[in-house]
Amino acid sequence: MYNTYDPYRLKKPLKRTNPKKGRDEDPRWVEMSWEEAFNEITIRLARIHADNPSKLVWQHGQGKYLIGEEFCAAFTKAFGTPNMVHRTTACESARHVADELTWANAGILPDLKYSKLLLNFGANYHEGEQASRWLDWQTAMGREQNAMKVVVVEPRLSGCAAKADEWVPVRPGKDIVMLLAMAKVLIDANTIDEAFLVEFTNAPQLVDAAGIIAKDKDGKTPLVWDTVTASAKPYAAGVKPALKGGYTVDGKPMRTAFQVLADSLKDVTPQYAEEVAGVPAATIVRLAQLFAKEARIGETIVIDGQTLRYRPAVLYTFRGITAKEYGVQGWRTGLILNMLVGSIDAVGGLMLGGAYSKPQYFDVSVCQFPPKRTDLAQSVFFPYSNHHIAQQTNITVQDPKAWGLEYTPEMQIFYGTNRPMSIPNSGQQFEGLAKTFNVVIDVLMTETAWYADIVLPDKTYLESWHYAPTRGTPDTGHNAIRQPMTNPYNLEHDAFTIMWELMKRLNLRDKFAEACNASWNLKQVKFKPGRDYTTREGVEVIWADRTKKDFSVAVEQGFVGSKKSVKSKYLGGAEDKFKGPGKAKIKFYADQLIDTYYKVEGIAKKNNLAKIDLPKYKIAYSPLPNKDLAFPTPHREAKDYPFYVITHKRMYRNQTGLTVDNAILNQALGADAATNYVQINVAAAAQLGIKSGDTVTIETRVGKINGTAQAVQGIRPDTIAVSYHYGQWSKGYDPEGRKGTAINQVLEHHPDLISGHNSFNDTKCKLYKA
């Protein structure tokens, strides 16, 4: 509410008159009319459209939760540019890509209604996780009604950890080794769901000495070792695959994929994990044994007349083990733990959203080169970056030829995102903004807007109509709208009407309407050519097609919901798509990564691509997680920097740009909400002579930044933590909002080479009194 009435709100279009762009440059803003703004933007867009539409880049962030990302996709599609870039690599894309490589779609939630144990590796649903309002409520209900135990594994005592039954402070970046050691404990004790691994996954498939899965004579169908005939065969009716062991096929030694993992874990003992991850070996053994016990391997449960697999133990994460240089492999390890006990799509386990809906993710990447997109998504540089790469465009534009781009981007439109402030090594991002003509659509004068050439004011979610992006749960789905409650500054446009007006002036309105229909997947009620739409009318179209209900229902009730049947929830996913002979299999062993690496290697060598470090790619593209993945670049190289740096969200500021000015947060809740702190363990602080309230310097290989120390018990002694929603410097903010430490300024930039996800939790630092 405060954001809507903020006196610092953008209320009229603004134009930059100082051509120089920089943090300390005065843009010398002048007001302009909407007609002048639309005219100037249209002239520039028309010139780009006639020359090469790819020279336009569209970027959005939290704006996707307002008008909907589908409209952004339609705008860029109608214009003809491939360059629509969203926010996911600043959030959870590595987790999505790990899911896609493993079960051919993305979207997971724990089945907490029936779970007995939740092993939470850094999903902070009390502060920032996207399914927060369901997860925190359902976790509380699970503990109260189902005696569910919650164990939180993360370096900092977060809100989730504080409310859990147990907090396990793991060393940053070393989660993979802890998880692999837990896997070893399960495998050595044979407390695994062999039936699930054989029937649902590719764990029984035979792997040769080079790591390639053996194929039948057709060159496509994987082979397993049939225990009935003692021979290698495709998994068909009558074949009983061996899960373990080594075999000779056509004179060549082979092992099952499961055996490859088991053999690779020979030295990854709980004692080794204690040394690397900083978690006692006894704790690792105990948690693994607890996970197996609560998974109740082999048990079934009857719900609504359906007999179902019952595995009420689940391992879950959000950004905890994914916002890292090896983020995809981090969550791949977590998925393998869930597979070992058979909790995938079982009652009380890990529920998949749309299993095997996108089988193309099991294929070798296209490894596009030269890249078509400025963010290099799905190019040879980031082969499986299926969710765009938020940080890359502002790096690419600084030297397009170095990345193989065959054009030079000229213009960027930013909608609802303060992108550079949200990205590690943010100074590098601002350098990119100085290279393009920028239009910013936002509510406040963010730092991104400070680098704009034209700024257009947007409406908040209380001032306009939106088809609301409600999140489903394992049991329910929703269709919802938002409707305006107020418009205190009589704002004329929101992002939807801005798009529509620009498309009309470019003579692309009908193409935009057609693209909207495709983007929203409208079947019966569609946007029609030859006419304009108000924001409400646009919402009415989507509502009518999605719900088949009159819009009066939307206005009166706000949403309609549906409950999933037991059959669709538990039997429509993995059971239907993967179980048994002749079906696709969950990728326990991600063999597509091997073939993709060799493709990358060939392209890199052929084109002398200096930007590709092949040894690093070979580590990243392992078909099975391994202990090398616990040593990201800063951990290997920054040896003189003793502290690990982690970042986190705070309830007060989940979006950098929109909560900065909020006086309720900055003042009414107290000084603690108005700024962030450099949290350090009390023992480490004492050794350095640091006390709470001291000004300290964080020094990394990127640079230095000051902050206010807060000595606490709830963090590892080798770790410091800083939330990343503070340290704004734009003069367009209320002075009360310009407080705290912008930690992203000094974080090293080592994106995950599979997904492009930002590495927020890999940097190391020195810490001392300022």
Side-chain angles (χ1 to χ4, degrees), residues 62 177 224-225 249 261 264 282 327 343 390 413 421 431 468 542 566 584-585 601 648 652 700 722 732 739 760:
Q62 70 268 16
V177 166
V224 299
W225 187 259
V249 179
L261 174 68
S264 74
S343 74
I413 300 177
M421 291 293 288
E431 291 174 15
I542 302 166
V566 169
K585 297 299 168 193
E601 182 183 56
H648 60 95
Y652 311 127
T700 72
V722 186
K739 295 182 177 180
F760 287 94

Side-chain angles (χ1 to χ4, degrees), residues 741-764:
T741 300
I743 188 62
N744 287 337
Q745 289 185 21
V746 296
L747 295 184
E748 293 192 32
H749 175 63
H750 300 286
D752 181 280
L753 296 176
I754 299 177
S755 66
H757 197 165
N758 273 291
S759 52
F760 287 94
N761 295 311
D762 289 335
T763 299
K764 297 196 72 178

Side-chain angles (χ1 to χ4, degrees), residues 59 85-90 375 387-394 419 423 429 756 758:
Q59 299 207 45
V85 184
H86 63 57
R87 43 163 281 290
T88 315
T89 49
D375 68 346
H387 301 273
H388 309 175
I389 307 177
Q391 72 279 6
Q392 186 60 45
T393 290
N394 283 322
R419 180 121 308 146
I423 301 300
Q429 294 290 307
N758 273 291

